[in-house]
Amino acid sequence: MNNYVQSVLHQIEVAIETLIQIMDELDNSDLTIRPTSNKASIGELLEHLTNICEADLMIGNSVSEREMKHYYTSASYISIGEMKIAINRNFLQLKKHYLSLSGVDLSEKVTSYWGVSYTRYEWLLEILAHLYHHRGQLHAMLVHCCNKELNVSLFE
């Protein structure tokens, strides 16, 4: 088992746990709030965050653009409770997949449907960065636009 993979998975788990803590401080009525008129609502951003582990794993496994469009239209949630269940399920799927890979697998280059090539390990790092980016975006929206007092430490 690769220690680097374990470390990245741990940081992804920290991001997931803190996202769930943020979700715990929200109501389903908060999901419709759209701090900027032409940008994502709180619910749309949370739905995107919920799907990152699964969607980015699919992208990192070279699925087609058509398959991704189908995924995004079918992976939708009505409530915070559904999102919490899905984000945990998606993380466990990601973790199981990456823990099963060998060093050779991790160094294999994989190309996305839009032509970007990374090693499987780099795709895992991309998932981590993607989660932290949008988690920060969500936190800023809630604190600065919605005046939420979040009692969530974003880092260990």
Side-chain angles (χ1 to χ4, degrees):
M1 193 174 326
N2 186 301
N3 288 334
Y4 295 114
V5 168
Q6 284 184 307
S7 295
V8 175
L9 288 170
H10 174 72
Q11 291 304 312
I12 291 172
E13 189 168 20
V14 169
I16 300 294
E17 288 171 356
T18 56
L19 276 166
I20 290 170
Q21 290 171 20
I22 290 171
M23 288 182 201
D24 286 342
E25 298 202 23
L26 301 176
D27 297 316
N28 285 324
S29 61
D30 293 323
L31 299 178
T32 59
I33 297 170
R34 187 177 305 277
T36 305
S37 62
N38 61 341
K39 300 293 181 185
S41 69
I42 302 297
E44 290 164 346
L45 182 55
L46 277 171
E47 188 169 85
H48 181 67
L49 278 156
T50 297
N51 292 328
I52 286 173
C53 287
E54 184 173 35
D56 287 9
L57 176 60
M58 292 170 67
I59 291 167
N61 282 322
S62 295
V63 302
S64 69
E65 182 176 10
R66 189 171 115 299
E67 290 171 292
M68 288 311 301
K69 284 182 179 178
H70 178 264
Y71 170 78
Y72 285 124
T73 58
S74 65
S76 157
Y77 313 97
I78 295 171
S79 70
I80 291 169
E82 286 180 2
M83 288 184 218
K84 286 166 48 176
I85 291 167
I87 201 169
N88 279 314
R89 180 190 67 236
N90 294 344
F91 170 67
L92 290 175
Q93 176 186 349
L94 175 77
K95 184 176 180 178
K96 180 180 177 183
H97 176 77
Y98 266 91
L99 291 177
S100 73
L101 298 177
S102 69
V104 171
D105 294 331
L106 289 168
S107 63
E108 180 185 354
K109 286 261 185 182
V110 181
T111 303
S112 70
Y113 65 83
W114 65 88
V116 172
S117 293
Y118 294 139
T119 65
R120 290 188 189 282
Y121 182 71
E122 287 173 307
W123 281 113
L124 183 61
L125 293 174
E126 177 63 29
I127 292 168
L128 174 64
H130 196 179
L131 279 166
Y132 272 73
H133 163 73
H134 286 305
R135 187 191 63 168
Q137 184 181 31
L138 175 66
H139 188 271
M141 288 168 67
L142 292 171
V143 171
H144 300 293
C145 300
C146 302
N147 297 315
K148 296 275 187 186
E149 285 292 330
L150 298 176
N151 290 325
V152 177
S153 176
L154 297 180
F155 301 96
E156 288 182 304

